[in-house]
Amino acid sequence: MSFIKQWVFSICTTLLISVVFSFLSPKGSMGKFYKIIISIFIFASFIFPLTEFSFNDFKIDYNFESYAQADLVITYENEIKTLISSELVKNGIDNAQINVNADVNDNVIEINNITVCIDIDHNPDDVKNLIYDNLGLVCEVKSVEF
């Protein structure tokens, strides 16, 4: 953006100076020569800043990879929640609240923790063992009253 501001400022300054010299130039054949010089000066002022132009000035800093990884983590967390939920329903445990926290480190998805909140009618240790035995997932199980 600063490149465009500098370029516009340069063009405006050049045009103002050119107008002043155009009024001061003599009439006749010598005046035509001055007008050609002024025209070349204006043309050069349009072209010269483009020699310093770089597409890096317009670089958009948008990290697609981090958004893709975040979407992948959310999808993975939802898959684990669905897997645990279906296993609990299959074993007669309804209305469980499941929270999964995962991260991506070095392109590997790591599960930080899994928390399962179940009704007080069920034993947390039994549910914890059920999830570990059937799914191989270590989780924290809490009894809460719904």
Side-chain angles (χ1 to χ4, degrees), residues 21-112:
F21 280 115
S22 178
F23 284 133
L24 294 176
S25 67
K27 305 294 181 213
S29 63
M30 197 63 170
K32 289 181 184 178
F33 174 74
Y34 281 114
K35 292 197 189 248
I36 290 173
I37 298 297
I38 291 170
S39 299
I40 292 171
F41 178 66
I42 292 170
F43 181 73
S45 72
F46 275 97
I47 300 300
F48 182 72
L50 294 177
T51 60
E52 298 173 8
F53 175 74
S54 172
F55 278 106
N56 291 334
D57 294 339
F58 295 101
K59 180 181 173 186
I60 297 173
D61 191 20
Y62 189 77
N63 191 351
F64 289 105
E65 185 175 330
S66 66
Y67 288 110
Q69 286 180 346
D71 287 343
L72 184 63
V73 168
I74 291 169
T75 302
Y76 190 70
E77 289 173 347
N78 289 334
E79 287 293 325
I80 292 173
K81 287 178 188 178
T82 303
L83 189 64
I84 293 171
S85 178
S86 65
E87 188 65 32
L88 292 176
V89 168
K90 187 170 40 171
N91 288 286
I93 303 169
D94 295 324
N95 299 326
Q97 294 178 349
I98 304 163
N99 294 318
V100 179
N101 185 357
D103 283 327
V104 175
N105 293 324
D106 297 325
N107 292 329
V108 176
I109 298 176
E110 297 176 351
I111 300 172
N112 295 330

